[in-house]
Amino acid sequence: MSNIKEVKGNDFVIKRLSDEGRVLSFKNHVCIGCGLCESTCPVEAIAVEDIAPTERNYNEYKNTYFSGHEKITQNYELATNRNEGKARLNIAEDKCVLCGMCSGVCPAGALNLKIDEVSIKEIESYPHLITHAEIVDDKCVYCKRCEVVCPREAITINRILPKRSDLVTGEIEADEDTCIYCGACAELCPAEAITVNKKTGEESIVFDKEKCVYCLVCKKACPVDAIKAVCRSCSYGEYDLDPAKAVITGDAIIDQETCIKCGWCAGVCPEDAPIIEKPFEGNVIVDEEKCGVCGACVDVCPCNALEVPKTTGPVRGVPVTVKEEYCIKCGACEKACPNGALTVNRTKINYTPTNSKSWITAFESLKN
């Protein structure tokens, strides 16, 4: 029975309607263009497009320092935008046998084969890459460093802060018979808790006690001593506050569809809350003689693992460097490099056990 291909935008599904319903789906926005599916397909049905910019202008990169903390994978988005409207891979439905190997080796999860509506990643007899990402809530302090640094914007921290009124308490008021409504208190208030209406005939002064930190700056600054304020439990000193009321709570959510398991979250977390398992182990070698510092590899890296070192002038002699701890060894950079300056060595492939020789061969072929 022949396959049916249904295309929606840059996504598609390939179906074979038989007693055993097989459906292979592809999500373009999840694909990282690494080409592993193409190299392992036993029937050569997959063609991966070049998602890197075809031309690079070094002037875009000179004097620029790229680091994950500065969200350099905005460059990845740049590469995506330049190829807007173009799918990153294509599968010839007349060749595809819906074996699922592409789904099994895809490190990003862009390809997924389902049999009778169950993903093969949930079927024990079908092996798949071992990856994992979670943030342990009991350890997380909800500082949002992981959310800021994530190159795929896959992390959301929902943070609930304690009430300010539970941390600092006191009393504050103004003697309106004395107040001249000059507004000095409002201008100096660090918490923007004071509103002064200076309009003749409508003069007023209002203190927002939800914002006030009882620092007493307004009291000290008032030129006519109109403000009366006292701090009972202040932002300075030690006071008997209920510890439970001072706790920051929340939850950390990882979008498993877009998370690439790069480990940036674990790298910046002060509490070791993230747990990350990567699919591959190995290293990346940069041939300094071949590297033209074009930035194509930086553009396509889904992990912010590549950077062009900062220079003090228009010098092209400093090659790209690799942050190995955040690299998943997917090979997108090697595929994108126009000069063959990058070599991705995979020394270990982490996948679930299987007795299938063809599947073992497929996974082990990813080593080099």
Side-chain angles (χ1 to χ4, degrees):
M1 184 176 290
S2 60
N3 296 331
I4 300 171
K5 187 173 186 178
E6 297 176 356
V7 180
K8 185 177 181 180
N10 289 326
D11 300 342
F12 59 80
V13 296
I14 297 176
K15 301 178 179 180
R16 181 187 301 154
L17 303 178
S18 59
D19 292 339
E20 182 186 62
R22 288 180 174 244
V23 179
L24 176 65
S25 62
F26 169 69
K27 294 183 177 180
N28 192 63
H29 73 282
V30 179
C31 177
I32 58 178
C34 64
L36 296 182
C37 57
E38 181 181 39
S39 63
T40 56
C41 179
V43 293
E44 299 181 349
I46 302 175
V48 177
E49 300 291 341
D50 181 9
I51 68 168
T54 55
E55 296 182 4
R56 303 299 306 164
N57 182 348
Y58 181 72
N59 290 327
E60 295 180 26
Y61 291 91
K62 69 180 182 181
N63 298 323
T64 303
Y65 176 73
F66 297 102
S67 84
H69 292 277
E70 296 174 4
K71 300 279 288 182
I72 65 155
T73 307
Q74 55 199 334
N75 296 326
Y76 176 80
E77 294 170 4
L78 171 64
T80 302
N81 292 337
R82 290 183 181 181
N83 291 275
E84 189 174 358
K86 185 177 182 181
R88 294 178 190 171
L89 66 81
N90 182 51
I91 299 180
E93 66 272 23
D94 57 333
K95 288 184 177 181
C96 181
V97 293
L98 294 173
C99 64
M101 283 189 177
C102 56
S103 175
V105 303
C106 179
L111 289 158
N112 187 25
L113 177 68
K114 290 184 177 182
I115 300 176
D116 293 332
E117 300 185 356
V118 178
S119 172
I120 62 170
K121 295 174 184 178
E122 300 173 22
I123 301 175
E124 188 175 354
S125 58
Y126 282 85
H128 59 268
L129 292 174
I130 298 174
T131 62
H132 181 73
E134 71 170 300
I135 298 175
V136 180
D137 276 330
D138 289 344
K139 291 185 176 181
C140 183
V141 294
Y142 310 107
C143 64
K144 293 196 174 189
R145 294 188 70 187
C146 57
E147 182 181 88
V148 171
V149 80
C150 179
R152 302 274 283 183
E153 298 183 352
I155 300 175
T156 301
I157 302 296
N158 296 318
R159 182 166 66 187
I160 303 172
L161 298 175
K163 291 182 179 180
R164 190 177 300 176
S165 58
D166 287 336
L167 303 179
V168 290
T169 62
E171 295 294 333
I172 186 169
E173 63 179 16
D175 182 347
E176 298 211 26
D177 290 334
T178 306
C179 181
I180 57 176
Y181 308 103
C182 64
C185 55
E187 291 179 33
L188 287 168
C189 180
E192 298 182 351
I194 305 173
T195 303
V196 176
N197 186 350
K198 302 177 185 178
K199 188 174 181 180
T200 303
E202 299 179 9
E203 296 92 344
S204 66
I205 180 169
V206 178
F207 299 95
D208 187 337
K209 294 185 179 181
E210 290 298 317
K211 291 183 177 180
C212 182
V213 294
Y214 302 100
C215 63
L216 308 187
V217 167
C218 56
K219 177 181 178 181
K220 295 174 182 178
C222 182
V224 293
D225 294 327
I227 297 177
K228 309 302 178 186
V230 60
C231 180
R232 293 203 178 93
S233 58
C234 308
S235 56
Y236 47 87
E238 296 295 329
Y239 298 88
D240 283 333
L241 295 174
D242 183 353
K245 292 183 178 181
V247 174
I248 298 174
T249 59
D251 60 273
I253 302 169
I254 297 179
D255 183 346
Q256 296 295 339
E257 182 175 86
T258 53
C259 174
I260 200 66
K261 285 75 178 177
C262 62
W264 268 108
C265 54
V268 302
C269 179
E271 298 296 327
D272 296 327
I275 299 173
I276 304 296
E277 288 185 75
K278 299 186 180 185
F280 309 125
E281 297 175 27
N283 66 313
V284 179
I285 299 172
V286 180
D287 188 325
E288 297 185 4
E289 296 297 321
K290 292 182 179 179
C291 179
V293 202
C294 67
C297 57
V298 176
D299 275 349
V300 302
C301 178
C303 306
N304 279 2
L306 295 161
E307 63 183 27
V308 178
K310 186 176 181 179
T311 62
T312 56
V315 179
R316 299 190 61 168
V318 183
V320 167
T321 58
V322 184
K323 290 181 177 291
E324 292 281 1
E325 66 270 35
Y326 304 126
C327 176
I328 63 167
K329 315 301 182 289
C330 68
C333 57
E334 181 178 10
K335 182 175 174 59
C337 181
N339 300 325
L342 289 157
T343 301
V344 177
N345 293 316
R346 302 182 198 93
T347 57
K348 184 180 179 183
I349 314 299
N350 298 316
Y351 58 95
T352 55
T354 180
N355 293 321
S356 169
K357 290 184 179 180
S358 60
W359 277 87
I360 293 174
T361 299
F363 281 115
E364 294 300 317
S365 69
L366 301 179
K367 292 180 181 179
N368 48 358

